[in-house]
Amino acid sequence: MTQALSLGWDDALTVAALLAVDPSGLGGVRLNGPAGAERKLWLETLERLLPPGTPFIPVPASIDHVRLAGGLDLAETLAAGRPVMRRGALSQAEGGFAVIQMADTWDEDRLGLLGLALDGEHEAVREASPFALILLDEAEPDAAPTAPALAQRLAFHVELPPLRYGEAPSIGLSAEDIAKARTRFFTMTLSDEAQQELSALALALDVGSLRADLLARRAAMAHAALADREEPIALDIALAARLVLGPRARALPAPPDQENEEESEPPPPPPQEDMEDPPEPPDDQSEPSDLTPNLDQLIDAIAANLPPDMLAKLEAARGGAAAARSRGRTKAKVKAKQRGRPAGVRRMRPGDATRLDVVETLRAAVPFQKIRRRQAHQPVAVRADDFRTRRLKQRQSQTVIFMVDASGSSALNRLAEAKGAIELILAECYVRRDEVALIAFRGERAEILLAPTRSLARAKRALTALPGGGGTPLAMGLEAGLRLALHVEREGQGALLVMMSDGGANIALDGTPGRAQAGDDARDMARAFRANGLAWLAIDTSPRGNAQMRALSEDGGATYVRLPAADARGVSSAVQSYSDAMQGAE
C-alpha cells in the first residue's frame, strides 16, 4: 500500500524531469489532489521537457474499452461493409504518456486493462512502443488508494504543494537537456554495492514490492544522467530512495539501543618506551567513497522527508485493508454487464463489457431506411445512434444475519436448529455468493458470535461455542442486528435478517429486568427496522405461537413465519424461499 508523498516544488519538478528521461522504465506517476493551477503547472512542465512529437494523450474518464485499447469499430464496419479497426488511446500514446483523468472513478476492468497495457501484455499495444501513465487521482486524502496493483507499476506517488500568489517555480531544463540525458542514461550502469544498498533499504522499510527496488535503480540512473555524471553517486541514490521507496514505506527500522551505541572506553596507551611506529591503515579502511551511501544515511533521508503521521496512517490502513478490498466491490446495486437476467435495453455504443442487441438495433434503424438508402446506397444502413445494448442484472450477493434467542426459554429447543440451518445455508454460499453472520442474545447482552463469512470451518467453530441460558434481551438482539445490517449495506451487499425467538422479552435495552419495558424496547427496535427499509424474517419458535412475536413482526414490517416444530432443514428452506422472493422483487 502506498501513500502520496507531499513534496516541495523542487522535488516535484525533479520527478517530471526524471519521467522525461525514462518514461516507460519508470512507469509513470500518480498525482494526488484536485484539479487546479498546481496540476496544470506540473503537466505543462513535463510536456515542455519532452522531445518534440512525443505523444501526450489525455484519456477521459468516460472512455469505453474500444476507444481506450482499440478494436473493431462497429459503426464504421457496418457503413463500409468490411471490418474497420479503430486505434485506441493507449496505442496512440506509445513512446509517450497517457494522462488518465479522474482515475479514482475508473472501474476495475479498465484499470486492469491499463495494467496489462503498461506491462505490454495487452494485444492492442503488444507491438507498440512502451508508454507511461499519469494517474490523476482526485480522491479524498483519507480514501483508499486508487488501483493499488496499478500504482505499484508507477515509480512516483506525489501530492503537489500549493502555489503561493505570484509563485512560478521552474526547473531550468529544456528538451535539449533531456535528449542529452537520455543518451547518457542508456549507457549507464549502477554498481553492485549501490544495488545491494537499495535492496537492503527496501527490506528495512518493508516496501513489500520487488518493482519498487527496480524503479528506484532507474530513478537513480536518470538523476545521474540529468547531472551529467557517468554513474550514480550517493546523492542520486539517496534522492531515488526518498522519492520512490519513501511513499511505499510501511515501517521504519527501530533505532539501536543507547547501550549499543555507547563505545567502550579505549584501553590505556602502552608505555612511551614500548610504542612502535603506528601501522599503516589497510586499504579497505580508507575513507568511504561518495559513490555508495550508507544504509543508515538512506533511512535518515527518507525519515526526514516523511510526514510525522504518515507511518501511523499506513499502520491503521493496513488493519483496514480487508475492509478496503471489500468496499472495492461496489457500493451501488450489483449489475452484471456480461451475464444475468434481462432488464431491458438502452441506447449506447457496444464495447467489451456490453452486449449488442441485434434485434432492437435493427428495429431502431428500420424507420430511417428510406432516407438512408438515398444517401448511402446500402441495403441496410445502420448508424451509431441505432445501437441498442442489453441491460443485464445479476443477483445481488447478500448477507444472511441470524439473530438467535439463546435464553433459557429457547436455548434447548432452538440452538440446535439454528446451528443446522446456518450450516445448510453455508453449503450453498459458493453458488449463491451469500455470507452468513450469527448474533446470539441471552442474559444481559447480545454478541456477534460469527462475523459475515462464507467459511464453513469458521462457522462451525463459532457454532460449537454457542452458549445458552439466562434472560431474553430481545431488544439488544434486534439492536445488534440493525447495526450489523446497516454496516453490511454500506459495504455494498444486501442484508437479510432472520430472528429466531419465542418473543418472550424480559430484559430491557438498558439491561434492567421487566417484561413491560423489555417489550416496549423490542417494538421500538423493530420499528427502526421498518424505518431503515430492512428486510427481515421473524420465525416464531414457541410451541403454540406467541401474540407478542406476531405483533413485533407487524411493527417492524417483518414476514412472520410460525415454525414451532421446525428442524434445521425447515428453517433453511424458509430462509431460502424468502431470500428468493426478495431477489425476484428487485
Side-chain angles (χ1 to χ4, degrees), residues 1 58 74 136-137 197 584:
M1 184 175 177
L74 192 54
L136 303 182
D137 189 350
E197 288 292 337

Side-chain angles (χ1 to χ4, degrees), residues 102-433:
M102 299 177 65
D104 52 300
T105 65
W106 283 47
D107 56 57
E108 293 182 359
D109 291 340
R110 292 182 297 163
L111 290 172
L113 191 151
L114 289 177
L116 287 174
L118 203 61
D119 291 342
E121 297 296 332
H122 195 277
E123 58 184 2
V125 295
R126 193 169 292 157
E127 303 299 329
S129 300
F131 64 96
L133 288 178
I134 300 176
L135 293 186
L136 303 182
D137 189 350
E138 301 180 15
E140 293 295 327
D142 296 333
T146 299
L150 178 59
Q152 287 295 338
R153 293 164 165 80
L154 311 180
F156 307 109
H157 306 269
V158 175
E159 181 179 346
L160 296 175
L163 279 173
R164 298 186 182 92
Y165 179 76
E167 184 181 14
S170 62
I171 194 170
L173 293 173
S174 64
E176 291 76 14
D177 298 326
I178 298 298
K180 294 176 182 178
R182 285 188 176 187
T183 304
R184 288 188 292 269
F185 174 81
F186 289 114
T187 61
M188 191 173 295
T189 58
L190 191 64
S191 66
D192 292 341
E193 292 81 3
Q195 294 184 35
Q196 292 171 5
E197 288 292 337
L198 283 174
S199 298
L201 179 62
L203 288 174
L205 296 176
D206 191 19
V207 167
S209 171
L210 295 176
R211 296 179 186 271
D213 187 4
L214 301 176
L215 293 171
R217 297 178 188 182
R218 298 190 73 98
M221 292 190 294
H223 191 261
L226 282 171
D228 197 12
R229 285 189 275 268
E230 295 182 356
E231 63 177 315
I233 63 174
L235 176 65
D236 305 314
I237 298 169
L239 180 133
R242 182 165 53 86
L243 296 181
V244 178
L245 301 182
R248 294 169 164 84
R250 298 186 295 183
L252 281 177
D257 296 336
Q258 294 286 340
E259 298 177 359
N260 296 335
E261 291 183 348
E262 294 178 358
E263 297 182 357
S264 58
E265 295 184 4
Q272 186 71 25
E273 60 272 8
D274 296 337
M275 288 190 64
E276 300 178 356
D277 293 335
E280 294 292 332
D283 294 339
D284 57 356
Q285 293 184 6
S286 57
E287 287 289 329
S289 169
D290 65 347
L291 295 180
T292 305
N294 183 276
L295 180 60
D296 294 336
Q297 294 174 346
L298 292 177
I299 293 175
D300 292 342
I302 290 178
N305 211 251
L306 292 178
D309 60 342
M310 183 172 180
L311 290 177
K313 290 181 179 179
L314 285 172
E315 191 64 31
R318 188 188 300 181
R325 287 193 294 270
S326 174
R327 286 193 294 272
R329 281 177 282 196
T330 176
K331 290 181 170 44
K333 195 173 184 178
V334 178
K335 293 184 179 179
K337 296 180 179 179
Q338 291 286 3
R339 59 183 180 177
R341 58 188 179 87
V345 297
R346 58 182 172 180
R347 176 193 294 179
M348 69 174 294
R349 189 183 297 273
D352 294 343
T354 55
R355 189 177 301 172
L356 180 68
D357 191 319
V358 178
V359 174
E360 292 297 328
T361 298
L362 293 175
R363 185 174 295 170
V366 163
F368 307 99
Q369 291 307 301
K370 184 178 292 187
I371 299 174
R372 292 178 183 175
R373 285 194 193 117
R374 297 173 186 169
Q375 299 173 348
H377 305 288
Q378 295 176 350
V380 178
V382 179
R383 305 279 177 83
D385 291 341
D386 301 327
F387 290 150
R388 298 295 186 272
T389 57
R390 298 177 188 175
R391 295 176 57 197
L392 301 175
K393 184 169 68 174
Q394 192 179 29
R395 180 186 183 274
Q396 184 182 15
S397 59
Q398 63 180 0
T399 299
V400 181
I401 302 172
F402 281 88
M403 301 172 290
V404 180
D405 185 351
S407 64
S409 60
S410 296
L412 295 178
N413 296 329
R414 295 302 98 189
L415 291 185
E417 285 80 356
K419 294 177 182 180
I422 290 174
E423 291 186 10
L424 288 172
I425 291 176
L426 275 171
E428 299 185 7
C429 278
Y430 285 102
V431 177
R432 302 172 63 90
R433 301 189 63 80

Side-chain angles (χ1 to χ4, degrees), residues 437-581:
L438 173 63
I439 296 172
F441 53 94
R442 69 184 186 99
E444 297 180 357
R445 63 175 181 170
E447 58 182 329
I448 300 176
L449 296 182
L450 181 64
T453 182
R454 278 188 278 172
S455 170
L456 187 57
R458 181 182 169 195
K460 286 183 176 180
R461 286 195 299 269
L463 294 173
T464 301
L466 183 60
T472 308
L474 187 56
M476 293 183 184
L478 290 171
E479 182 185 35
L482 174 65
R483 292 180 181 275
L484 183 56
L486 294 177
H487 172 74
V488 166
E489 290 197 339
R490 283 194 299 268
E491 298 298 316
Q493 283 191 334
L496 170 61
L497 296 107
V498 180
M499 186 179 71
M500 300 176 62
S501 175
D502 58 6
N506 54 26
I507 301 295
L509 198 57
D510 58 2
T512 58
R515 293 186 178 275
Q517 185 61 43
D520 291 341
D521 290 347
R523 284 190 293 274
D524 289 340
M525 293 308 305
R527 295 186 186 101
F529 277 58
R530 181 193 289 273
N532 285 278
L534 295 173
W536 61 299
L537 185 66
I539 298 180
D540 189 347
T541 59
S542 58
R544 298 183 180 179
N546 191 320
Q548 294 177 339
M549 189 68 173
R550 184 182 293 274
L552 188 72
S553 62
E554 291 177 355
D555 288 340
T559 298
Y560 175 80
V561 178
R562 182 186 170 196
L563 292 174
D567 57 6
R569 192 165 296 278
V571 174
S572 174
S573 177
V575 173
Q576 299 289 15
S577 299
Y578 183 68
S579 174
D580 292 340

